[in-house]
Amino acid sequence: MWVVMVASRFRTAIVAVCGVALVGLAAGSSAEAGGYHVYSCRTPTGAVAPTDGWTKSIVGGVFDTVKDTCLEHGALIAALDADSRHAVLTDRAIWAFAAPTDTKIAGATLWRAGDNGGGGFAQATYQFWLAAPTEFEIFSECIDTVHCPKVGDFGQPLSEVNRVDVPSKNLDTNLYLVASCGGGLEDFCEPGPGDENGYGAVVYMYAADIVLEQTAGPTASNVSGELATAPAVRGTSDVAFDASDPGSGVYEAVFSLDGQTVQTTVLDGNGGHCQNVGGTSDGLPAFLYTQPCAPSVSVDVPFDTTGISNGTHHLIVSAIDAAGNSAPVLDREITVSNPPAPPLPGTPGPLNGTNASAQATLSASWVGSKKARIASAYGRAHTIAGRLEAPGGVPIAGAELNCTAIPATQGAKPVTMACPHTDPTGRFEVKVPGNVSSRTIALAYREHLGDALPVATRTLGLSVKAGVSLRVHPHTAGVGQSIRFTGALLGGPIPHGGKQLVLEARSPGGPWIEFDVLRTTGKGRFQDSYRFKFPGPVSYRFRAVSESEADYPFATGASNTVGVFER
């Protein structure tokens, strides 16, 4: 009974202190908050999942164990080794989950099993527990001396006996898995045989389904494109905008026409993280990462009007974050003016433009260059200008052009671009935003709408140098001292395992010399350090170089250079 009383008094004190804060948080929650699931270790189907958001720690004990075997179809493991002596309420092995900034936990279900193989003693016992929102606000525990030598099914990770739903009163921002030694304050759990793995107390978390709630939503700005400005639209039109989100990230653009959702477009895959893996029963999306989508995007989204009846319609475009919160992008009346439907197979469709011709000439080039393929720094927008003519230089006006882009990634598929109609002089412009990767852009004209093959084409290339940001600190150092490099790749998508970068340095008048090779994270961030081995004084310049690779659609590019003086 003494073990239960010790634990109970400890919990009661903490809950009493935290009670006011919990009431304040509940009162401040918004009924408009959105939510999303995050799967840890396993998905509901049993597939392997990462453990994003979980961190491990050991308190007191040197011979405690915290490890992650989830990628090998295992578990998050917190354990006290049985062959060591453990101090009561001091030695603890801990896994802790923390909700990201601007989110809180709205619901959570854990699948766990555990074993107190080290047993109990006169004044101490092996034990493990689950707690939230602090480490000692326990909602599920197993204490050897209180008739709980073990709990759960170790052979069936997703068994119903392993399931534990976190009570609503324990929901806030943190979850804890703890293996510990309990008892009198100056007592010990003694060494012994333990369980089959040599643990005195161990808790395995096989899976977690955590619902995160986010109140603050996304914002959108810098709206442009045909859908935002043109008096009438047809074919594929576009809307371009910037959006950002403080929590789960910017997920989709949702197009609503006359009150009905007609299109949803994922705006940035974020290296595969921003993917709804499904499996929920409450209508919320599910992801494998706590902040799955990009915090900010700059996009140009095409919208196909060919399936919409001609006439005036009410169009609403919204930017949605991963939690389902929305920000208005566009809310206006549009006039759809598409040509008649294509004729039956074997008969030509309507002529494509005034003065349409099978002998049309399509000319196009990059504004400011006569080259068919240009090189560009990352972030620089470009414009393609061209003209469509019939024989004799007669302009073809009001013609629909087809534009596609093939990113310079091995195996990339063509992507349809927003493409204008020619003006009364046969001229047109295609805007290419500054945040795109290297690509080939193909323009095509068909004499009749719906023709299978074009009668005039033009292909242009864009080679974009990789954008890299670099910071170095400090800017002055001496022999034996170190400087630290941090930075990020500016464009994506980033390869699944990160992108290789080369760090280079040079002294005044000298060549660039490679001194280290590193790999970014899956989000493109990197860090490194260098210690000066020889005395100065010397002024150095440093840069980070991203070399061209088949799985990263950018040409070789270098960061900004940073100066460091070695005393």
Side-chain angles (χ1 to χ4, degrees), residues 378-425:
Y378 179 81
R380 183 178 300 168
H382 294 277
T383 301
I384 298 172
R387 191 165 190 252
L388 183 65
E389 298 174 332
V394 177
I396 301 177
E400 177 183 295
L401 300 178
N402 304 114
C403 302
T404 57
I406 304 177
T409 306
Q410 190 172 19
K413 297 180 179 180
V415 177
T416 300
M417 296 175 57
C419 210
H421 291 75
T422 59
D423 68 13
T425 68

mmCIF file of all heavy atoms in Angstrom, residues 378-425:
data_model
loop_
_atom_site.group_PDB
_atom_site.id
_atom_site.type_symbol
_atom_site.label_atom_id
_atom_site.label_comp_id
_atom_site.label_asym_id
_atom_site.label_seq_id
_atom_site.Cartn_x
_atom_site.Cartn_y
_atom_site.Cartn_z
ATOM 1 N N TYR A 378 18.410 31.066 -58.458
ATOM 2 C CA TYR A 378 17.159 30.679 -57.802
ATOM 3 C C TYR A 378 16.437 31.943 -57.309
ATOM 4 O O TYR A 378 17.045 32.876 -56.799
ATOM 5 C CB TYR A 378 17.428 29.750 -56.625
ATOM 6 C CG TYR A 378 16.174 29.350 -55.898
ATOM 7 C CD1 TYR A 378 15.369 28.338 -56.396
ATOM 8 C CD2 TYR A 378 15.766 30.009 -54.744
ATOM 9 C CE1 TYR A 378 14.193 27.970 -55.753
ATOM 10 C CE2 TYR A 378 14.593 29.655 -54.095
ATOM 11 C CZ TYR A 378 13.815 28.637 -54.613
ATOM 12 O OH TYR A 378 12.649 28.297 -53.977
ATOM 13 N N GLY A 379 15.104 31.932 -57.476
ATOM 14 C CA GLY A 379 14.299 33.046 -56.992
ATOM 15 C C GLY A 379 14.037 34.119 -58.031
ATOM 16 O O GLY A 379 13.290 35.062 -57.760
ATOM 17 N N ARG A 380 14.615 34.002 -59.209
ATOM 18 C CA ARG A 380 14.434 35.021 -60.247
ATOM 19 C C ARG A 380 13.322 34.587 -61.194
ATOM 20 O O ARG A 380 13.385 33.521 -61.803
ATOM 21 C CB ARG A 380 15.724 35.231 -61.014
ATOM 22 C CG ARG A 380 15.649 36.327 -62.084
ATOM 23 C CD ARG A 380 16.993 36.509 -62.761
ATOM 24 N NE ARG A 380 18.023 36.890 -61.795
ATOM 25 C CZ ARG A 380 19.310 36.900 -62.062
ATOM 26 N NH1 ARG A 380 19.756 36.521 -63.265
ATOM 27 N NH2 ARG A 380 20.195 37.256 -61.132
ATOM 28 N N ALA A 381 12.272 35.398 -61.307
ATOM 29 C CA ALA A 381 11.167 35.110 -62.207
ATOM 30 C C ALA A 381 11.556 35.450 -63.651
ATOM 31 O O ALA A 381 12.413 36.309 -63.896
ATOM 32 C CB ALA A 381 9.932 35.900 -61.799
ATOM 33 N N HIS A 382 10.932 34.768 -64.599
ATOM 34 C CA HIS A 382 11.217 35.001 -66.015
ATOM 35 C C HIS A 382 9.923 35.048 -66.805
ATOM 36 O O HIS A 382 8.868 34.582 -66.349
ATOM 37 C CB HIS A 382 12.127 33.897 -66.565
ATOM 38 C CG HIS A 382 13.494 33.893 -65.961
ATOM 39 N ND1 HIS A 382 14.508 34.703 -66.397
ATOM 40 C CD2 HIS A 382 14.001 33.176 -64.921
ATOM 41 C CE1 HIS A 382 15.594 34.485 -65.674
ATOM 42 N NE2 HIS A 382 15.311 33.554 -64.766
ATOM 43 N N THR A 383 10.024 35.616 -67.994
ATOM 44 C CA THR A 383 8.869 35.733 -68.884
ATOM 45 C C THR A 383 9.230 35.205 -70.268
ATOM 46 O O THR A 383 10.311 35.485 -70.788
ATOM 47 C CB THR A 383 8.410 37.194 -68.989
ATOM 48 O OG1 THR A 383 8.059 37.679 -67.693
ATOM 49 C CG2 THR A 383 7.205 37.319 -69.916
ATOM 50 N N ILE A 384 8.328 34.423 -70.832
ATOM 51 C CA ILE A 384 8.436 33.986 -72.227
ATOM 52 C C ILE A 384 7.498 34.848 -73.056
ATOM 53 O O ILE A 384 6.311 34.990 -72.720
ATOM 54 C CB ILE A 384 8.053 32.509 -72.378
ATOM 55 C CG1 ILE A 384 9.007 31.623 -71.573
ATOM 56 C CG2 ILE A 384 8.049 32.091 -73.844
ATOM 57 C CD1 ILE A 384 8.578 30.165 -71.512
ATOM 58 N N ALA A 385 8.020 35.465 -74.101
ATOM 59 C CA ALA A 385 7.207 36.284 -74.996
ATOM 60 C C ALA A 385 7.213 35.653 -76.376
ATOM 61 O O ALA A 385 8.231 35.111 -76.830
ATOM 62 C CB ALA A 385 7.743 37.705 -75.060
ATOM 63 N N GLY A 386 6.064 35.687 -77.058
ATOM 64 C CA GLY A 386 6.016 35.069 -78.366
ATOM 65 C C GLY A 386 4.903 35.614 -79.227
ATOM 66 O O GLY A 386 4.130 36.503 -78.830
ATOM 67 N N ARG A 387 4.809 35.054 -80.448
ATOM 68 C CA ARG A 387 3.777 35.476 -81.398
ATOM 69 C C ARG A 387 3.362 34.278 -82.233
ATOM 70 O O ARG A 387 4.186 33.420 -82.584
ATOM 71 C CB ARG A 387 4.290 36.601 -82.301
ATOM 72 C CG ARG A 387 3.190 37.274 -83.131
ATOM 73 C CD ARG A 387 3.688 38.599 -83.703
ATOM 74 N NE ARG A 387 2.607 39.366 -84.286
ATOM 75 C CZ ARG A 387 2.421 39.554 -85.588
ATOM 76 N NH1 ARG A 387 3.280 39.015 -86.455
ATOM 77 N NH2 ARG A 387 1.408 40.276 -86.028
ATOM 78 N N LEU A 388 2.064 34.235 -82.545
ATOM 79 C CA LEU A 388 1.496 33.180 -83.375
ATOM 80 C C LEU A 388 0.998 33.808 -84.669
ATOM 81 O O LEU A 388 0.166 34.739 -84.644
ATOM 82 C CB LEU A 388 0.356 32.480 -82.624
ATOM 83 C CG LEU A 388 -0.318 31.298 -83.328
ATOM 84 C CD1 LEU A 388 0.676 30.149 -83.515
ATOM 85 C CD2 LEU A 388 -1.531 30.824 -82.522
ATOM 86 N N GLU A 389 1.509 33.292 -85.801
ATOM 87 C CA GLU A 389 1.198 33.905 -87.088
ATOM 88 C C GLU A 389 0.750 32.848 -88.100
ATOM 89 O O GLU A 389 1.235 31.712 -88.102
ATOM 90 C CB GLU A 389 2.416 34.621 -87.669
ATOM 91 C CG GLU A 389 2.926 35.773 -86.817
ATOM 92 C CD GLU A 389 4.210 36.357 -87.370
ATOM 93 O OE1 GLU A 389 4.975 35.612 -88.026
ATOM 94 O OE2 GLU A 389 4.441 37.557 -87.152
ATOM 95 N N ALA A 390 -0.154 33.280 -88.975
ATOM 96 C CA ALA A 390 -0.504 32.502 -90.155
ATOM 97 C C ALA A 390 0.463 32.886 -91.281
ATOM 98 O O ALA A 390 1.248 33.836 -91.137
ATOM 99 C CB ALA A 390 -1.946 32.788 -90.556
ATOM 100 N N PRO A 391 0.469 32.173 -92.405
ATOM 101 C CA PRO A 391 1.360 32.550 -93.511
ATOM 102 C C PRO A 391 1.194 34.022 -93.903
ATOM 103 O O PRO A 391 0.082 34.568 -93.888
ATOM 104 C CB PRO A 391 0.901 31.622 -94.648
ATOM 105 C CG PRO A 391 0.400 30.403 -93.943
ATOM 106 C CD PRO A 391 -0.271 30.926 -92.706
ATOM 107 N N GLY A 392 2.316 34.648 -94.244
ATOM 108 C CA GLY A 392 2.312 36.059 -94.589
ATOM 109 C C GLY A 392 2.381 36.985 -93.395
ATOM 110 O O GLY A 392 2.223 38.199 -93.536
ATOM 111 N N GLY A 393 2.619 36.421 -92.186
ATOM 112 C CA GLY A 393 2.734 37.262 -90.996
ATOM 113 C C GLY A 393 1.418 37.709 -90.422
ATOM 114 O O GLY A 393 1.374 38.606 -89.575
ATOM 115 N N VAL A 394 0.306 37.092 -90.872
ATOM 116 C CA VAL A 394 -1.018 37.475 -90.369
ATOM 117 C C VAL A 394 -1.176 36.956 -88.934
ATOM 118 O O VAL A 394 -0.978 35.757 -88.684
ATOM 119 C CB VAL A 394 -2.120 36.887 -91.272
ATOM 120 C CG1 VAL A 394 -3.500 37.215 -90.715
ATOM 121 C CG2 VAL A 394 -1.971 37.408 -92.695
ATOM 122 N N PRO A 395 -1.530 37.815 -87.979
ATOM 123 C CA PRO A 395 -1.646 37.351 -86.586
ATOM 124 C C PRO A 395 -2.833 36.413 -86.398
ATOM 125 O O PRO A 395 -3.896 36.613 -87.001
ATOM 126 C CB PRO A 395 -1.836 38.642 -85.789
ATOM 127 C CG PRO A 395 -2.414 39.619 -86.769
ATOM 128 C CD PRO A 395 -1.797 39.278 -88.095
ATOM 129 N N ILE A 396 -2.637 35.393 -85.567
ATOM 130 C CA ILE A 396 -3.737 34.510 -85.157
ATOM 131 C C ILE A 396 -4.157 34.969 -83.771
ATOM 132 O O ILE A 396 -3.433 34.791 -82.790
ATOM 133 C CB ILE A 396 -3.295 33.035 -85.152
ATOM 134 C CG1 ILE A 396 -2.816 32.619 -86.545
ATOM 135 C CG2 ILE A 396 -4.442 32.142 -84.686
ATOM 136 C CD1 ILE A 396 -2.292 31.194 -86.621
ATOM 137 N N ALA A 397 -5.326 35.595 -83.700
ATOM 138 C CA ALA A 397 -5.777 36.231 -82.453
ATOM 139 C C ALA A 397 -6.730 35.313 -81.684
ATOM 140 O O ALA A 397 -7.475 34.524 -82.275
ATOM 141 C CB ALA A 397 -6.469 37.546 -82.766
ATOM 142 N N GLY A 398 -6.710 35.440 -80.358
ATOM 143 C CA GLY A 398 -7.635 34.696 -79.510
ATOM 144 C C GLY A 398 -7.436 33.202 -79.534
ATOM 145 O O GLY A 398 -8.358 32.436 -79.233
ATOM 146 N N ALA A 399 -6.216 32.753 -79.860
ATOM 147 C CA ALA A 399 -5.947 31.319 -79.957
ATOM 148 C C ALA A 399 -5.547 30.739 -78.602
ATOM 149 O O ALA A 399 -4.866 31.384 -77.805
ATOM 150 C CB ALA A 399 -4.848 31.063 -80.981
ATOM 151 N N GLU A 400 -5.966 29.512 -78.358
ATOM 152 C CA GLU A 400 -5.588 28.790 -77.140
ATOM 153 C C GLU A 400 -4.257 28.081 -77.370
ATOM 154 O O GLU A 400 -4.095 27.336 -78.330
ATOM 155 C CB GLU A 400 -6.665 27.778 -76.779
ATOM 156 C CG GLU A 400 -6.327 26.917 -75.570
ATOM 157 C CD GLU A 400 -7.394 25.879 -75.293
ATOM 158 O OE1 GLU A 400 -8.522 26.276 -74.951
ATOM 159 O OE2 GLU A 400 -7.093 24.675 -75.438
ATOM 160 N N LEU A 401 -3.318 28.320 -76.484
ATOM 161 C CA LEU A 401 -2.034 27.637 -76.527
ATOM 162 C C LEU A 401 -1.984 26.597 -75.419
ATOM 163 O O LEU A 401 -2.663 26.738 -74.390
ATOM 164 C CB LEU A 401 -0.885 28.630 -76.360
ATOM 165 C CG LEU A 401 -0.785 29.737 -77.426
ATOM 166 C CD1 LEU A 401 0.372 30.672 -77.088
ATOM 167 C CD2 LEU A 401 -0.604 29.151 -78.817
ATOM 168 N N ASN A 402 -1.188 25.567 -75.600
ATOM 169 C CA ASN A 402 -0.973 24.549 -74.568
ATOM 170 C C ASN A 402 0.468 24.634 -74.091
ATOM 171 O O ASN A 402 1.399 24.609 -74.899
ATOM 172 C CB ASN A 402 -1.251 23.154 -75.114
ATOM 173 C CG ASN A 402 -2.654 23.031 -75.687
ATOM 174 O OD1 ASN A 402 -2.828 22.849 -76.883
ATOM 175 N ND2 ASN A 402 -3.675 23.136 -74.850
ATOM 176 N N CYS A 403 0.646 24.748 -72.783
ATOM 177 C CA CYS A 403 1.981 24.867 -72.203
ATOM 178 C C CYS A 403 2.194 23.742 -71.194
ATOM 179 O O CYS A 403 1.352 23.505 -70.319
ATOM 180 C CB CYS A 403 2.154 26.209 -71.487
ATOM 181 S SG CYS A 403 1.892 27.651 -72.539
ATOM 182 N N THR A 404 3.313 23.038 -71.302
ATOM 183 C CA THR A 404 3.666 22.000 -70.338
ATOM 184 C C THR A 404 5.121 22.187 -69.899
ATOM 185 O O THR A 404 5.935 22.743 -70.636
ATOM 186 C CB THR A 404 3.504 20.581 -70.926
ATOM 187 O OG1 THR A 404 4.298 20.475 -72.111
ATOM 188 C CG2 THR A 404 2.060 20.295 -71.256
ATOM 189 N N ALA A 405 5.411 21.723 -68.703
ATOM 190 C CA ALA A 405 6.775 21.803 -68.159
ATOM 191 C C ALA A 405 7.201 20.426 -67.683
ATOM 192 O O ALA A 405 6.409 19.687 -67.085
ATOM 193 C CB ALA A 405 6.845 22.800 -67.008
ATOM 194 N N ILE A 406 8.457 20.078 -67.968
ATOM 195 C CA ILE A 406 9.024 18.815 -67.476
ATOM 196 C C ILE A 406 10.182 19.157 -66.540
ATOM 197 O O ILE A 406 11.236 19.608 -66.989
ATOM 198 C CB ILE A 406 9.523 17.938 -68.634
ATOM 199 C CG1 ILE A 406 8.399 17.677 -69.637
ATOM 200 C CG2 ILE A 406 10.068 16.617 -68.100
ATOM 201 C CD1 ILE A 406 8.833 16.885 -70.851
ATOM 202 N N PRO A 407 10.004 19.011 -65.210
ATOM 203 C CA PRO A 407 11.093 19.299 -64.268
ATOM 204 C C PRO A 407 12.309 18.417 -64.541
ATOM 205 O O PRO A 407 12.184 17.289 -65.022
ATOM 206 C CB PRO A 407 10.470 18.992 -62.898
ATOM 207 C CG PRO A 407 8.997 19.108 -63.113
ATOM 208 C CD PRO A 407 8.759 18.629 -64.521
ATOM 209 N N ALA A 408 13.489 18.955 -64.236
ATOM 210 C CA ALA A 408 14.747 18.266 -64.539
ATOM 211 C C ALA A 408 15.106 17.240 -63.474
ATOM 212 O O ALA A 408 16.227 17.188 -62.974
ATOM 213 C CB ALA A 408 15.872 19.278 -64.698
ATOM 214 N N THR A 409 14.134 16.399 -63.115
ATOM 215 C CA THR A 409 14.371 15.292 -62.194
ATOM 216 C C THR A 409 14.210 13.996 -62.958
ATOM 217 O O THR A 409 13.310 13.881 -63.787
ATOM 218 C CB THR A 409 13.361 15.316 -61.027
ATOM 219 O OG1 THR A 409 13.399 16.587 -60.402
ATOM 220 C CG2 THR A 409 13.707 14.245 -60.005
ATOM 221 N N GLN A 410 15.075 13.039 -62.690
ATOM 222 C CA GLN A 410 15.020 11.770 -63.398
ATOM 223 C C GLN A 410 13.641 11.138 -63.238
ATOM 224 O O GLN A 410 13.140 10.948 -62.146
ATOM 225 C CB GLN A 410 16.090 10.821 -62.857
ATOM 226 C CG GLN A 410 16.280 9.564 -63.677
ATOM 227 C CD GLN A 410 17.479 8.765 -63.186
ATOM 228 O OE1 GLN A 410 17.939 8.946 -62.064
ATOM 229 N NE2 GLN A 410 17.996 7.899 -64.018
ATOM 230 N N GLY A 411 12.982 10.841 -64.382
ATOM 231 C CA GLY A 411 11.669 10.218 -64.362
ATOM 232 C C GLY A 411 10.513 11.170 -64.147
ATOM 233 O O GLY A 411 9.371 10.720 -63.963
ATOM 234 N N ALA A 412 10.763 12.497 -64.164
ATOM 235 C CA ALA A 412 9.694 13.467 -63.927
ATOM 236 C C ALA A 412 8.668 13.422 -65.057
ATOM 237 O O ALA A 412 8.991 13.189 -66.218
ATOM 238 C CB ALA A 412 10.277 14.870 -63.799
ATOM 239 N N LYS A 413 7.397 13.661 -64.722
ATOM 240 C CA LYS A 413 6.322 13.667 -65.697
ATOM 241 C C LYS A 413 5.964 15.103 -66.070
ATOM 242 O O LYS A 413 6.134 16.024 -65.268
ATOM 243 C CB LYS A 413 5.095 12.955 -65.131
ATOM 244 C CG LYS A 413 5.333 11.482 -64.832
ATOM 245 C CD LYS A 413 4.075 10.829 -64.281
ATOM 246 C CE LYS A 413 4.314 9.350 -63.999
ATOM 247 N NZ LYS A 413 3.090 8.695 -63.459
ATOM 248 N N PRO A 414 5.448 15.309 -67.295
ATOM 249 C CA PRO A 414 5.054 16.668 -67.718
ATOM 250 C C PRO A 414 3.959 17.227 -66.808
ATOM 251 O O PRO A 414 3.074 16.501 -66.356
ATOM 252 C CB PRO A 414 4.548 16.464 -69.148
ATOM 253 C CG PRO A 414 5.171 15.176 -69.596
ATOM 254 C CD PRO A 414 5.288 14.320 -68.378
ATOM 255 N N VAL A 415 4.039 18.526 -66.574
ATOM 256 C CA VAL A 415 3.069 19.223 -65.740
ATOM 257 C C VAL A 415 2.434 20.331 -66.577
ATOM 258 O O VAL A 415 3.140 21.108 -67.231
ATOM 259 C CB VAL A 415 3.738 19.828 -64.495
ATOM 260 C CG1 VAL A 415 2.721 20.605 -63.669
ATOM 261 C CG2 VAL A 415 4.393 18.746 -63.654
ATOM 262 N N THR A 416 1.111 20.400 -66.583
ATOM 263 C CA THR A 416 0.416 21.438 -67.340
ATOM 264 C C THR A 416 0.605 22.795 -66.674
ATOM 265 O O THR A 416 0.458 22.931 -65.449
ATOM 266 C CB THR A 416 -1.083 21.116 -67.442
ATOM 267 O OG1 THR A 416 -1.243 19.865 -68.107
ATOM 268 C CG2 THR A 416 -1.819 22.183 -68.225
ATOM 269 N N MET A 417 0.939 23.795 -67.467
ATOM 270 C CA MET A 417 1.121 25.157 -66.967
ATOM 271 C C MET A 417 -0.068 26.020 -67.390
ATOM 272 O O MET A 417 -0.740 25.743 -68.388
ATOM 273 C CB MET A 417 2.406 25.777 -67.542
ATOM 274 C CG MET A 417 3.687 25.105 -67.148
ATOM 275 S SD MET A 417 5.111 25.844 -68.016
ATOM 276 C CE MET A 417 4.966 27.578 -67.531
ATOM 277 N N ALA A 418 -0.301 27.084 -66.634
ATOM 278 C CA ALA A 418 -1.269 28.080 -67.060
ATOM 279 C C ALA A 418 -0.728 28.761 -68.312
ATOM 280 O O ALA A 418 0.433 29.183 -68.352
ATOM 281 C CB ALA A 418 -1.499 29.093 -65.953
ATOM 282 N N CYS A 419 -1.552 28.838 -69.352
ATOM 283 C CA CYS A 419 -1.083 29.342 -70.646
ATOM 284 C C CYS A 419 -2.098 30.356 -71.171
ATOM 285 O O CYS A 419 -3.311 30.092 -71.150
ATOM 286 C CB CYS A 419 -0.923 28.177 -71.619
ATOM 287 S SG CYS A 419 0.361 28.416 -72.854
ATOM 288 N N PRO A 420 -1.662 31.503 -71.637
ATOM 289 C CA PRO A 420 -2.604 32.551 -72.072
ATOM 290 C C PRO A 420 -3.147 32.293 -73.472
ATOM 291 O O PRO A 420 -2.687 31.403 -74.194
ATOM 292 C CB PRO A 420 -1.726 33.801 -72.052
ATOM 293 C CG PRO A 420 -0.372 33.280 -72.446
ATOM 294 C CD PRO A 420 -0.261 31.918 -71.802
ATOM 295 N N HIS A 421 -4.127 33.103 -73.859
ATOM 296 C CA HIS A 421 -4.581 33.158 -75.238
ATOM 297 C C HIS A 421 -3.854 34.309 -75.937
ATOM 298 O O HIS A 421 -3.427 35.270 -75.299
ATOM 299 C CB HIS A 421 -6.095 33.393 -75.312
ATOM 300 C CG HIS A 421 -6.892 32.225 -74.827
ATOM 301 N ND1 HIS A 421 -7.029 31.916 -73.483
ATOM 302 C CD2 HIS A 421 -7.579 31.264 -75.498
ATOM 303 C CE1 HIS A 421 -7.775 30.841 -73.341
ATOM 304 N NE2 HIS A 421 -8.127 30.418 -74.551
ATOM 305 N N THR A 422 -3.708 34.200 -77.242
ATOM 306 C CA THR A 422 -3.039 35.278 -77.974
ATOM 307 C C THR A 422 -3.915 36.518 -78.015
ATOM 308 O O THR A 422 -5.152 36.433 -78.023
ATOM 309 C CB THR A 422 -2.720 34.820 -79.403
ATOM 310 O OG1 THR A 422 -3.933 34.445 -80.061
ATOM 311 C CG2 THR A 422 -1.770 33.626 -79.400
ATOM 312 N N ASP A 423 -3.265 37.687 -78.038
ATOM 313 C CA ASP A 423 -4.007 38.949 -78.101
ATOM 314 C C ASP A 423 -4.345 39.277 -79.567
ATOM 315 O O ASP A 423 -4.037 38.485 -80.473
ATOM 316 C CB ASP A 423 -3.220 40.062 -77.414
ATOM 317 C CG ASP A 423 -1.938 40.445 -78.149
ATOM 318 O OD1 ASP A 423 -1.758 40.028 -79.309
ATOM 319 O OD2 ASP A 423 -1.100 41.159 -77.558
ATOM 320 N N PRO A 424 -4.970 40.427 -79.839
ATOM 321 C CA PRO A 424 -5.360 40.742 -81.227
ATOM 322 C C PRO A 424 -4.192 40.787 -82.202
ATOM 323 O O PRO A 424 -4.395 40.642 -83.414
ATOM 324 C CB PRO A 424 -6.040 42.105 -81.099
ATOM 325 C CG PRO A 424 -6.602 42.097 -79.710
ATOM 326 C CD PRO A 424 -5.581 41.377 -78.885
ATOM 327 N N THR A 425 -2.967 40.981 -81.717
ATOM 328 C CA THR A 425 -1.805 41.003 -82.616
ATOM 329 C C THR A 425 -1.125 39.642 -82.698
ATOM 330 O O THR A 425 -0.061 39.516 -83.315
ATOM 331 C CB THR A 425 -0.787 42.055 -82.144
ATOM 332 O OG1 THR A 425 -0.206 41.634 -80.901
ATOM 333 C CG2 THR A 425 -1.435 43.422 -81.965
#
